[in-house]
Amino acid sequence: MFSIYITAFIVGGLICVIGQLMFDVAKLTPAHTLCILVVAGSVLDGFGLYEPLIDFAGTGATIPITSFGNALTHGALAEAEKHGLIGVLTGMFEVTSSGISAAILFGFIASFIFKPKGTV
Amino acid sequence: MDKKKYAKLEKGITPKPNLLKNCLKAFLVGGTICLIAQFIALFYMTFFDFTERTANNPTVATMIFIAMLLTGFGAYKKIGQVGGAGAAVPITGFGNAVVSAAIEHRSEGYVLGVGGNIFKLAGSVIVYGVFSAFLVALVKTILVKVGVVSW
Amino acid sequence: MVMKGLLTFPSTPSIVATGVTAGPLEKKSPFHAGFDKMYEDERCGKDTNEQGHSKMMEDACMIALSKVDKIPADADFLLTGDLVNQMTPSNFFATTVGIPYIGMFSACATSVSSLLLAALLTEAGMSKLAIAGASSQHNAIERQFRYPIEYGAQKGDTAQWTVTAAGAAAVTPFQAGVPSIERGTIGKAIDMGMTDPLHMGAAMAPAAADTLKRHLEGHGTSPSDYDLIMTGDLAKVGFSIFQELVKNQGISNMENFSDAGMEFYGNNPDFMSGASGAGCSAAVYFSEVYKKMMDKEYKKVLLIATGALLSPLSYQQGETIPCIAHAVELTMK
């Protein structure tokens, strides 16, 4: 039960280290790095490997952006299983809707409240 | 001096990023963010009717809410400067990208500014996520149909 | 005699007054005591960054004029610029002061290019009072060239911090007792294939080294003739590269060399490699350097402002960063 806190910390941290290596060694911009990680999450789910990682590490696997690719693919595959090829199109946002809707909602609300500050 | 020679001279003088230190900081910051999320998931599982799987949705939304506050009060850019990818890769980094773009472009109005630019940074992640999910699911569905693999 | 890009001003136009304004964060600068006005608010009390930017440049210009008891109607030319798209902050403040205006763009080298044009107009007898200047505002520039201000992107040791500052200088025909403009060198745009917009010192250093060489050779001077040779905003890393390039030119004694961007925030690691922006060189040249010349601490200085001529579009399209450096030689008689 408590081991999930340790694995979450370690797996989440390690995925971030992969991102850091892409920043510093491959000299990629944050946008390029995040896109590659998202695609990686999606491909891992295609091989059925991402769900076991979530079972092992909990939020250590669901909080990094790789889980976004996984969730999109997972939604598409679940619908495809039920409805065939058309499900690939319709099922995509089934699982990820909360992240995107929360980001849009909170982003919009923040624009009423906050102003950017050029502090160090 | 030609460009090649100059590139060599420049490389010799420019300080290299401290890879070990940067990776360690990314590990600690990223790990901590995931750990906090695990506690938030525990909260939803204990006090509300969520299972380990379904707790993920409110957890992600809560993390993005926290990212909004940290971004608005100018703290997330400091976390980003220390943590690097440790702050960018977790979903809070996605939230930071959306929120920072939204508040930055407020000066151009709510429709053209906020509405038009809110996904300026995070949009590419959605585009690549959706397109790769489509390809992967398409390939897998076809492979299942022809009987190469099973669900 | 015509020499490529070299300027001499036999009538030695004078800089009779300067005005420097800066934002709240610039209190951390060791030069802040020399700034004429510092704002508590980064937007100078205005709604947008760009309006604040414009206000800051306007105040710098008005301060310079007021020091010689002049009003905008007395001025013949306004030559200013900044880094925002189409230089709108400069354009908008030009409408309020109503001085005949040319917008100047040499990126962060605008402080010197505008000064050289003011000197040329004065030398030609067409200007009795010209205002030259440049400015930059951190928020407005960062959001245009890099990311939204609150985005948590990690900046490395080579990155520079765009200053919030404006500097203006009032140029008149020769007057005794103030620094005057003796010579100048118009830089060539130089591209050494650098592509990293978070490492602009490396892109700009070759331009600065080239302009220095052409100025010294063309005008027949040597580095030891100057009390100070100050580049614009190469910052710590860029300045080290510049020193190496200068060493390759056979100049070994660089005690009188300095860089405005490197010095602007002292050794504060929060600002990484140092300062940048059109306001950086303008603020330092027109406060610290100008004051030390007035005090006769410096008799002869060479100012080489450096600019990176990139746009967000050009680097996203994978283009390299062309750079420019303009030099001006000031003397105090």
Side-chain angles (χ1 to χ4, degrees):
Chain A
M1 173 65 200
F2 287 104
S3 69
I4 194 86
Y5 296 94
I6 298 163
T7 50
F9 185 89
I10 292 174
V11 171
L14 285 178
I15 295 173
C16 294
V17 169
I18 295 171
Q20 189 69 37
L21 290 173
M22 287 157 82
F23 281 8
D24 287 349
V25 179
K27 303 276 173 212
L28 295 175
T29 66
H32 284 88
T33 304
L34 297 179
C35 286
I36 291 170
L37 287 175
V38 164
V39 173
S42 165
V43 172
L44 282 177
D45 190 53
F47 289 107
L49 296 173
Y50 208 87
E51 292 297 311
L53 189 66
I54 296 176
D55 292 333
F56 175 66
T59 52
T62 57
I63 290 299
I65 200 77
T66 40
S67 89
F68 186 64
N70 163 62
L72 286 167
T73 311
H74 216 70
L77 284 174
E79 283 287 295
E81 206 175 337
K82 273 188 254 167
H83 306 296
L85 274 180
I86 197 78
V88 173
L89 275 176
T90 55
M92 225 172 290
F93 282 99
E94 206 100 309
V95 192
T96 47
S97 53
S98 75
I100 292 180
S101 54
I104 295 176
L105 195 66
F106 294 138
F108 197 64
I109 290 169
S111 73
F112 299 131
I113 309 169
F114 298 112
K115 261 194 166 184
K117 287 176 288 289
T119 47
V120 184
Chain B
M1 185 180 277
D2 63 19
K3 287 182 183 181
K4 259 193 192 141
K5 241 171 115 188
Y6 180 68
K8 211 177 145 197
L9 182 146
E10 182 264 328
K11 265 218 171 87
I13 294 172
T14 304
K16 305 255 171 315
N18 188 335
L19 204 57
L20 197 69
K21 208 170 126 198
N22 281 358
C23 284
L24 188 67
K25 286 193 287 188
F27 179 75
L28 293 176
V29 171
T32 306
I33 291 172
C34 293
L35 188 61
I36 292 168
Q38 190 67 53
F39 282 111
I40 291 170
L42 175 74
F43 167 81
Y44 281 113
M45 284 187 286
T46 318
F47 295 102
F48 296 92
D49 187 22
F50 286 106
T51 66
E52 230 165 88
R53 277 298 150 115
T54 53
N56 190 46
N57 281 341
T59 304
V60 163
T62 311
M63 291 306 281
I64 291 175
F65 179 74
I66 295 171
M68 173 192 86
L69 294 180
L70 291 174
T71 304
F73 289 112
Y76 208 89
K77 62 172 179 270
K78 288 173 195 168
I79 301 172
Q81 181 61 28
V82 176
V89 171
I91 196 77
T92 45
F94 179 81
N96 169 244
V98 171
V99 173
S100 66
I103 62 178
E104 188 64 60
H105 292 278
R106 160 71 189 84
S107 68
E108 292 109 286
Y110 284 110
V111 175
L112 296 177
V114 179
N117 291 289
I118 198 164
F119 282 118
K120 193 180 171 188
L121 296 168
S124 59
V125 168
I126 298 179
V127 170
Y128 278 89
V130 167
F131 192 66
S132 65
F134 173 74
L135 281 187
V136 168
L138 188 70
V139 169
K140 189 154 183 185
T141 308
I142 291 169
L143 289 181
V144 170
K145 287 256 144 88
V146 296
V148 183
V149 292
S150 65
W151 295 110
Chain C
M1 188 176 67
V2 176
M3 291 181 289
K4 267 188 187 157
L6 300 181
L7 304 169
T8 45
F9 304 102
S11 76
T12 63
S14 290
I15 303 175
V16 287
T18 59
V20 174
T21 52
L25 202 59
E26 280 58 35
K27 285 202 182 82
K28 298 191 180 197
S29 170
F31 302 128
H32 78 272
F35 300 159
D36 296 294
K37 183 173 182 178
M38 300 197 73
Y39 305 89
E40 288 305 317
D41 173 36
E42 56 201 295
R43 280 173 269 266
C44 310
K46 302 283 181 185
D47 286 337
T48 67
N49 295 316
E50 289 73 14
Q51 285 171 355
H53 193 337
S54 195
K55 166 85 177 142
M56 192 170 65
M57 188 68 232
E58 181 181 341
D59 286 352
C61 165
M62 298 304 281
I63 289 166
L65 284 169
S66 70
K67 281 185 185 169
V68 281
D69 295 320
K70 299 282 185 193
I71 56 167
D74 299 326
D76 300 309
F77 291 98
L78 176 66
L79 313 159
T80 59
D82 54 71
L83 306 171
V84 174
N85 289 330
Q86 284 76 40
M87 297 180 293
T88 47
S90 246
N91 300 345
F92 283 117
F93 115 79
T95 64
T96 48
V97 291
I99 307 169
Y101 162 69
I102 305 177
M104 301 290 295
F105 184 82
S106 302
C108 308
T110 306
S111 55
V112 169
S113 66
S114 61
L115 202 57
L116 288 175
L117 184 56
L120 278 169
L121 289 165
T122 311
E123 181 73 29
M126 292 175 198
S127 169
K128 288 265 178 286
L129 175 61
I131 303 290
S135 60
S136 56
Q137 203 260 12
H138 178 81
N139 295 6
I141 307 308
E142 288 295 317
R143 66 168 277 178
Q144 179 185 318
F145 280 90
R146 299 190 181 95
Y147 296 109
I149 299 298
E150 299 293 354
Y151 182 58
Q154 192 174 36
K155 290 176 179 167
D157 295 334
T158 59
Q160 291 170 247
W161 184 275
T162 308
V163 301
T164 300
V171 179
T172 67
F174 178 76
Q175 285 184 25
V178 291
S180 50
I181 305 166
E182 205 142 86
R183 291 187 273 230
T185 298
I186 303 284
K188 294 180 191 167
I190 287 182
D191 187 343
M192 291 304 272
M194 295 288 115
T195 52
D196 187 355
L198 288 170
H199 188 12
M200 300 214 289
M204 295 190 289
D210 180 73
T211 301
L212 174 73
K213 185 167 187 265
R214 285 177 52 229
H215 188 90
L216 297 178
E217 281 174 4
H219 293 298
T221 56
S222 82
S224 56
D225 296 340
Y226 302 96
D227 299 311
L228 174 75
I229 296 177
M230 193 182 237
T231 47
D233 55 355
L234 299 175
K236 291 179 189 105
V237 181
F239 188 67
S240 310
I241 298 171
F242 171 70
Q243 281 180 309
E244 189 64 30
L245 292 171
V246 173
K247 209 187 281 169
N248 290 348
Q249 291 172 10
I251 297 164
S252 52
N253 186 0
M254 281 180 267
E255 261 178 22
N256 53 345
F257 280 61
S258 180
D259 178 69
M262 179 174 71
E263 310 271 345
F264 198 93
Y265 291 112
N267 271 326
N268 194 331
D270 286 345
F271 300 97
M272 290 81 65
S273 187
S276 68
C280 170
S281 58
V284 176
Y285 294 170
F286 298 153
S287 66
E288 175 79 4
V289 175
Y290 185 80
K291 287 200 165 74
K292 285 198 170 159
M293 292 198 83
M294 290 294 278
D295 296 342
K296 304 224 162 75
E297 199 179 324
Y298 298 145
K299 291 256 169 58
K300 197 178 184 72
V301 301
L302 180 62
L303 306 174
I304 308 172
T306 44
L309 305 172
L310 81 167
S311 83
L313 181 74
S314 73
Y315 82 77
Q316 279 175 10
Q317 290 180 339
E319 302 285 350
T320 51
I321 304 174
C323 292
I324 191 103
H326 299 302
V328 65
E329 187 177 322
L330 306 181
T331 48
M332 182 73 186
K333 283 177 191 140

